Amino acid sequence: MIRFILAAALALAGADLANAQTTLRVGDQKGNARAVMEAAGVLNDVPYRIEWKEFPAAAPLLEALSAGAIETGLVGDAPFTFAAASGAPVKAIAAIRQTGEALAILVPENSPIKSFADLRGKKIATGRGSIGHQLILAALEKNGWNASDVQIAFLAPSDAKIAYTQGSVDAWSTWEPYVSQEEVLFKSRRIITAQGLTPGLSFQVARPDAIRDKRAELTDFVRRLTAARAWSLSNVNGYAETWGKLMNIPTAVPQNWLSRANIRIAPIDDGVVADEQSTIDLYFRWGLIKQKLDAAEIVDRSFADAIVRAGL
């Protein structure tokens, strides 16, 4: 019944695009948006073409968006902040809320490291400006440590995986689905999560020219993504199965991830702006960005009504 209501609402909302021949170029990370939208059945009647481009992390996705290779995509609040501070043409048009369980610092199963306190002087792999980097900085700050109290090895996920597996680093600060892949397939342990440390915020972002020229397509896409995420909260197994097939990864991995993530789309509101400002302030305090941005200036609230209406 819910799927029928969602389909009917989306069909009506997309009526003005029925004759459109446009293409929306969408960046995705590890099948995140595409899998849930396919599983929820909201891509069956899209009245424009979606050209999906897959990325291993937010940094290359944002580079592609900045270069005009894609028009919209999903990224964490930390890399979004990093990109906005560098002058990239990017605006947040929708927020993605989830628990802090999806972001963690991992250690191998047999590591003697039991807590963050044991990481003093140790080497941690993560991406520069990533949400993994954000977690390290937030944990350092909470414990009153300095940047020199740990060694950070800035590596892309594929290189971080190799270094972590080979023991070249002591820990890996990373995000889903990498966290669940390591837990389920290799018995890694989470010694700290982002719960209570970072906002647990990601964004659907878009280029300003796409917001101007493809507003109808972007509005429709965000509406469909919102509906899909609403569906997924009570259909974890269906989503996990679709994601596993799309990524060719055992279903147990996404089940581990999705059963605790509680992922949902939220409109850009005052709470989202305040949380993004906290991320900006963290990065400014640690010198990762040279200017203190105003969060309200790098978001676009005009898609909020579409999100609220789709979040049935």
Side-chain angles (χ1 to χ4, degrees):
M1 182 64 179
I2 293 176
R3 189 188 287 257
F4 174 78
I5 293 172
L6 292 177
L10 292 170
L12 288 172
D16 60 332
L17 293 170
N19 297 316
Q21 299 297 316
T22 56
T23 296
L24 187 65
R25 294 169 294 159
V26 181
D28 203 9
Q29 290 190 58
K30 299 291 283 186
N32 200 317
R34 184 177 181 179
V36 73
M37 294 174 84
E38 286 187 358
V42 302
L43 294 178
N44 298 333
D45 60 346
V46 178
Y48 48 91
R49 180 169 174 259
I50 297 177
E51 183 179 306
W52 295 98
K53 294 182 182 292
E54 185 67 31
F55 297 90
L61 187 155
L62 285 161
E63 289 173 5
L65 186 133
S66 185
I70 59 173
E71 293 156 320
T72 186
L74 169 68
V75 299
D77 56 347
F80 167 66
T81 298
F82 211 50
S86 71
V90 60
K91 291 270 190 177
I93 62 174
I96 297 90
R97 294 280 194 187
Q98 59 185 309
T99 69
E101 301 291 328
L103 175 59
I105 297 179
L106 302 171
V107 296
E109 180 182 13
N110 298 320
S111 171
I113 297 170
K114 304 297 182 184
S115 68
F116 186 80
D118 297 329
L119 284 174
R120 189 183 291 271
K122 304 298 185 181
K123 186 176 290 187
I124 310 170
T126 200
R128 184 185 295 275
S130 69
I131 56 176
H133 193 182
Q134 176 191 26
L135 175 57
I136 295 171
L137 297 182
L140 288 173
E141 200 167 81
K142 180 180 178 180
N143 286 274
W145 291 12
N146 299 313
S148 59
D149 286 327
V150 296
Q151 303 174 59
I152 303 178
F154 292 117
L155 300 169
S158 58
D159 296 325
K161 166 63 176 173
I162 293 171
Y164 178 74
T165 301
Q166 294 180 343
S168 301
V169 298
D170 301 288
W172 184 10
S173 185
T174 191
W175 49 90
E176 294 288 11
Y178 301 110
V179 171
S180 286
Q181 283 181 229
E182 291 303 316
E183 283 186 291
V184 173
L185 303 180
F186 305 102
K187 307 303 180 185
S188 287
R189 293 182 287 108
R190 297 180 299 163
I191 61 163
I192 188 173
T193 72
Q195 199 72 26
L197 285 176
T198 68
L201 191 63
S202 297
F203 291 111
Q204 188 71 30
V205 299
R207 291 177 55 90
D209 54 358
I211 294 173
R212 181 191 66 227
D213 300 334
K214 295 186 178 180
R215 174 170 290 277
E217 291 83 358
L218 280 172
T219 300
D220 183 72
F221 180 85
V222 168
R223 186 183 291 116
R224 291 171 188 272
L225 179 59
T226 303
R229 284 293 179 200
W231 170 88
S232 72
L233 291 175
S234 56
N235 292 275
V236 170
N237 290 339
Y239 176 21
E241 184 178 354
T242 300
W243 187 93
K245 289 178 180 178
L246 187 64
M247 293 291 104
N248 195 28
I249 291 174
T251 303
V253 170
Q255 283 178 331
N256 186 72
W257 161 26
L258 299 169
S259 63
R260 65 192 183 196
N262 193 31
I263 306 169
R264 60 217 183 273
I265 309 298
I268 304 290
D269 57 16
D270 290 347
V272 168
V273 172
D275 282 345
E276 168 56 17
Q277 191 65 55
S278 72
T279 297
I280 291 170
D281 294 346
L282 176 72
Y283 270 23
F284 183 72
R285 287 194 300 272
W286 286 87
L288 267 71
I289 58 175
K290 302 305 179 185
Q291 56 176 327
K292 188 173 180 179
L293 302 173
D294 182 351
E297 295 182 356
I298 57 174
V299 301
D300 186 320
R301 297 182 184 235
S302 64
F303 295 83
D305 285 347
I307 294 168
V308 171
R309 287 197 299 270
L312 303 176

